[in-house]
Amino acid sequence: MENDEDQETLGEKLYDLIYPKYTEMTPKLTGMLLELPASVVAQMLYDEALLNKALERALTALTSSDHSEPASHTDDAASASSDSLGEQLYDLIDLYNTGHTQKITGMLLEQKKEAVLQLLSDHTLLEERVKIALKTLQEQGDEATDVSDSSDREEVESIGETLFSFVHQLDPTHCADITGMLLEMDSGTLQQILSDRSMLEVAVQKAKSALEGAVSPTHTQMSE
């Protein structure tokens, strides 16, 4: 029941946002957008750019379904029609925030044109195909982990060298140990530390305190 209520609430909010822009088509457009995952619909309520993009795609899908037999008298026209399908499909897949929009679009465009048109008009089917394609990509990614791992290692080494030179200026005696401790942080935090001198100093001081406490607790007690 809660899911039904959530869907109804999302639908009402979505309807109110669409109505001023597309008064006559609001019910149809709202229904089409509600076929997308609830998380995406919820995001649209706060992201006007995302909503507008989704509405454009829905309108295009509606007009293409009204003219399901587009004129393609020449190879150029057929090619343009295929490009247009690719763009529509790309924008719809992009709403799922998979991080692999381009690859998944390419995979789905390998199907016949009729199958692609069906995906554009049936968002439930599209969601299933996106999930299958994403799973395939993830499986392929698992097989290629050695490559990504090596590039990750290179990135860590590069950050490590930069970090070492900074830490060496602050504490030449323990710079190697402190750098090793700081490198256990995630890369985002490390990049922030490298760009903020005060954060770096605080992190080095904490690492130094932890290091001294771990190495010689009796010494620290005596010094206190």
Side-chain angles (χ1 to χ4, degrees):
M1 285 296 290
E2 285 184 11
N3 288 340
D4 291 341
E5 288 174 14
D6 289 345
Q7 188 84 347
E8 191 175 332
T9 305
L10 285 174
E12 289 170 1
K13 291 179 179 177
L14 202 56
Y15 187 97
D16 291 339
L17 288 174
I18 297 172
Y19 188 81
K21 302 177 183 182
Y22 305 101
T23 308
E24 293 180 7
M25 302 179 73
T26 303
K28 181 72 175 175
L29 290 171
T30 304
M32 290 177 73
L33 296 193
L34 282 174
E35 291 175 12
L36 294 166
S39 58
V40 175
V41 177
Q43 192 179 343
M44 285 179 193
L45 300 179
Y46 304 100
D47 188 338
E48 189 176 356
L50 184 65
L51 174 62
N52 289 335
K53 187 162 72 169
L55 285 170
E56 285 174 17
R57 294 309 126 207
L59 284 166
T60 307
L62 277 174
T63 52
S64 65
S65 63
D66 289 342
H67 308 285
S68 55
E69 293 297 329
S72 54
H73 298 302
T74 66
D75 289 341
D76 289 342
S79 173
S81 175
S82 297
D83 290 343
S84 174
L85 284 177
E87 289 168 10
Q88 292 174 48
L89 193 61
Y90 180 95
D91 287 324
L92 280 176
I93 293 170
D94 196 38
L95 295 173
Y96 291 92
N97 294 321
T98 61
H100 300 283
T101 304
Q102 193 166 352
K103 288 182 180 179
I104 292 174
T105 304
M107 291 167 75
L108 297 185
L109 279 174
E110 290 174 4
Q111 303 175 97
K112 290 182 179 178
K113 185 177 175 181
E114 290 75 13
V116 176
L117 284 169
Q118 189 177 357
L119 289 176
L120 292 175
S121 59
D122 187 341
H123 291 180
T124 305
L125 181 64
L126 176 62
E127 186 176 0
E128 288 175 9
R129 292 288 186 271
V130 168
K131 285 178 180 176
I132 293 169
L134 186 59
K135 187 178 179 182
T136 304
L137 284 173
Q138 286 170 343
E139 287 171 354
Q140 290 174 354
D142 290 340
E143 292 171 6
T145 46
D146 291 342
V147 178
S148 60
D149 284 350
S150 62
S151 61
D152 288 345
R153 279 196 296 273
E154 286 170 11
E155 184 184 350
V156 171
E157 284 173 14
S158 173
I159 292 174
E161 288 168 9
T162 310
L163 191 61
F164 182 87
S165 63
F166 285 146
V167 175
H168 188 269
Q169 295 169 15
L170 297 171
D171 189 336
T173 311
H174 305 101
C175 56
D177 290 329
I178 290 173
T179 302
M181 292 170 75
L182 296 185
L183 281 173
E184 291 176 9
M185 297 176 172
D186 64 83
S187 59
T189 307
L190 285 172
Q191 295 285 5
Q192 204 171 351
I193 287 174
L194 290 175
S195 61
D196 188 330
R197 179 79 178 188
S198 60
M199 275 186 72
L200 174 64
E201 289 174 359
V202 170
V204 168
Q205 191 57 48
K206 284 182 180 178
K208 185 178 177 181
S209 300
L211 193 62
E212 288 176 347
V215 173
S216 52
T218 51
H219 175 73
T220 53
Q221 284 168 8
M222 286 171 65
S223 63
E224 288 170 4

